[in-house]
Amino acid sequence: MALEAGLLEILACPACHAPLEESKTDATPELLCTGEGCALAYPIRDGIPVLLVDEARRPA
């Protein structure tokens, strides 16, 4: 499920404040932090981004 472009423009990683981008795979929709030192992946559940650091995962 794609998020609106306007929404992606205003969202930022809660941990490092870097911009977020939508994952390219449809298996598990996520927003990926673009920050070099952070790189957290935030889940999207029912079309709603869950921007909680405790819910994020570190990509392998």
Side-chain angles (χ1 to χ4, degrees):
M1 171 178 279
L3 295 175
E4 292 182 30
L7 180 61
L8 276 176
E9 289 178 12
I10 62 172
L11 290 179
C13 175
C16 71
H17 308 291
L20 297 171
E21 65 180 23
E22 212 164 353
S23 67
K24 304 294 185 223
T25 62
D26 290 331
T28 51
E30 295 178 317
L31 291 177
L32 306 173
C33 176
T34 59
E36 288 183 27
C38 186
L40 290 173
Y42 297 94
I44 300 174
R45 295 188 187 126
D46 297 324
I48 301 169
V50 181
L51 298 178
L52 300 171
V53 176
D54 292 340
E55 294 284 326
R57 69 170 186 84
R58 292 222 180 257

